[in-house]
Amino acid sequence: MKIYAFLAIAFGVVACRGEQKTEVANTPVEARAYTCEEANMFNQDSAYSFVKKQCDFGARVPNSAPHEACASYLSSELKRLGAEVTEQKTTVTAYDGTRLNANNIIGTFFPEKENRVIFFSHWDSRPYCDHDPNEANHRKPVMGANDGASGVGVLLELARVMQQKEPKMGVDIVFLDAEDYGAPYFFKKEVENDWCLGSQFWSKHTHYKVKPKYGVLLDMVGGNDPTFFIDKVTARYAYSAASRVWSRAQEMGYGKYFIPREEGMIMDDHYYVNIWAGIPTADIIDFNADRGFPTTWHTMNDTPENINSSSLGMVGRILTSLIY
């Protein structure tokens, strides 16, 4: 499973829940004023528009027309915003033997800079709403506004900021594909490594000329009242990267949302980037042991209407401050 354990502070295992709210109130994120000029250039409404644009194509399930159209859009947007773009096209095998046309889309900014950081987000949508309260929806695709598009939207807005003012560091942005095509509960055979297929491929075929010093993965960063703990994979393999992010979040007044405590063991794209590519990469993912993932996770309600733009702005301003 993508989530192979949710470890609470005690030794118990916390199962992910599938509860869903039909309405999500967009509570503004609380923070104090921060003096980084560039961080204040990050526009949360622009980030939201990038999220909405992806969802306008439909659910970005591999081998679908919306998936192909969105890939072209992401590649062209990165080029428009000043990146050198590489499309890492490959064919991967899903849990049931289906051959998926996958495309990891890579934007390289300021390739001459040797001091580099790398940011990741997956851009595909899950083909199953298998945590929706209505079982009739379980074989329908997830729109993936939060689970996928939110991280991509933040990184596209970060690219826009970099186009306006050159950062101190070189930056690589990688949109990973086929992350969310893992086996659903109704597939009864046991399979291994069925999630995060794009990051598995990328981690064995890295694109860069200069290895980034550290990385950050964004996954589900647009929810309402999010909680970002340090998952145990991050703590083990990328604690220095996590320290940068969570310390900066504290400095910026986001301590309510970025809690510097280990909670959960998440099998996300960062696992393969850490283990196979050897880049210490922290995962910013909305999860806590009480509720699991956000209530819209893998449901029909993961739509733009349930995205909180101020959450996008918080995460984006943290990343922006790090590169400037």
Side-chain angles (χ1 to χ4, degrees):
M1 295 176 62
K2 176 183 176 184
I3 320 308
Y4 59 85
F6 294 146
L7 301 183
I9 296 174
F11 293 105
V13 177
V14 182
C16 188
R17 302 169 182 168
E19 293 95 344
Q20 178 185 31
K21 295 179 182 177
T22 56
E23 295 183 3
V24 178
N26 284 335
T27 305
V29 166
E30 301 170 9
R32 58 174 169 266
Y34 190 69
T35 56
C36 177
E37 173 188 348
E38 294 81 10
N40 294 326
M41 290 170 60
F42 188 96
N43 187 318
Q44 63 191 42
D45 294 328
S46 175
Y48 177 83
S49 71
F50 285 126
V51 174
K52 178 69 164 54
K53 178 63 177 179
Q54 294 169 78
C55 294
D56 286 344
F57 291 107
R60 284 84 56 214
V61 177
N63 293 355
S64 70
H67 181 268
E68 185 175 350
C70 189
S72 297
Y73 164 73
L74 295 177
S75 179
S76 64
E77 278 299 281
L78 286 172
K79 290 176 184 176
R80 182 181 70 84
L81 295 169
E84 294 181 4
V85 176
T86 302
E87 293 190 43
Q88 193 181 52
K89 296 182 179 181
T90 187
T91 303
V92 296
T93 303
Y95 67 91
D96 59 355
T98 300
R99 299 290 283 169
L100 305 175
N101 296 317
N103 188 356
N104 295 326
I105 302 168
I106 303 155
T108 302
F109 295 82
F110 312 103
E112 72 282 358
K113 294 181 183 289
E114 294 192 1
N115 184 24
R116 307 192 65 77
V117 63
I118 188 165
F119 298 127
F120 302 91
S121 180
H122 80 88
W123 68 275
D124 61 302
S125 297
R126 179 155 178 74
Y128 313 112
C129 288
D130 47 353
H131 278 264
D132 196 276
N134 185 352
E135 189 174 350
N137 293 328
H138 286 193
R139 295 176 188 266
K140 296 178 181 178
V142 182
M143 180 57 71
N146 194 24
D147 192 1
S150 66
V152 173
V154 167
L155 295 180
L156 286 174
E157 172 58 12
L158 181 66
R160 189 198 65 81
V161 173
M162 289 191 290
Q163 188 181 49
Q164 303 301 312
K165 185 173 182 180
E166 183 174 332
K168 294 181 179 179
M169 306 178 69
V171 176
D172 295 306
I173 289 176
V174 183
F175 298 143
L176 295 164
D177 201 359
E179 187 266 0
D180 234 346
Y181 214 107
Y185 72 89
F186 44 81
F187 185 77
K188 300 304 181 183
K189 295 181 182 179
E190 292 240 353
V191 287
E192 294 182 354
N193 294 319
D194 53 322
W195 299 83
C196 307
L197 302 178
S199 59
Q200 290 185 50
F201 184 84
W202 183 89
S203 297
K204 290 182 176 179
H205 306 86
T206 52
H207 74 282
Y208 51 77
K209 295 179 181 178
V210 178
K211 186 175 182 178
K213 287 184 165 50
Y214 71 96
V216 180
L217 169 67
L218 307 183
D219 198 351
M220 291 183 278
V221 295
N224 193 56
D225 199 24
T227 53
F228 301 115
F229 290 88
I230 300 172
D231 83 289
K232 293 182 184 297
V233 173
T234 294
R236 180 172 181 181
Y237 297 103
Y239 193 79
S240 61
S243 294
R244 293 173 186 263
V245 175
W246 269 258
S247 295
R248 182 55 52 84
Q250 299 289 320
E251 293 171 10
M252 297 177 75
Y254 296 128
K256 173 183 174 182
Y257 310 97
F258 279 78
I259 300 98
R261 187 176 78 236
E262 291 183 31
E263 186 162 313
M265 191 167 186
I266 312 298
M267 191 66 175
D268 208 356
D269 284 319
H270 71 312
Y271 175 83
Y272 297 100
V273 174
N274 277 293
I275 301 299
W276 292 1
I279 300 172
T281 297
D283 192 7
I284 300 179
I285 186 168
D286 187 0
F287 168 84
N288 66 63
D290 290 333
R291 63 153 163 79
F293 290 135
T295 55
T296 59
W297 178 68
H298 292 182
T299 74
M300 296 291 288
N301 278 348
D302 190 2
T303 59
E305 292 75 20
N306 290 327
I307 292 294
N308 188 334
S309 60
S310 64
S311 296
L312 302 176
M314 167 177 61
V315 175
R317 283 187 284 274
I318 292 169
L319 297 189
T320 304
S321 73
L322 289 174
I323 65 172
Y324 288 93

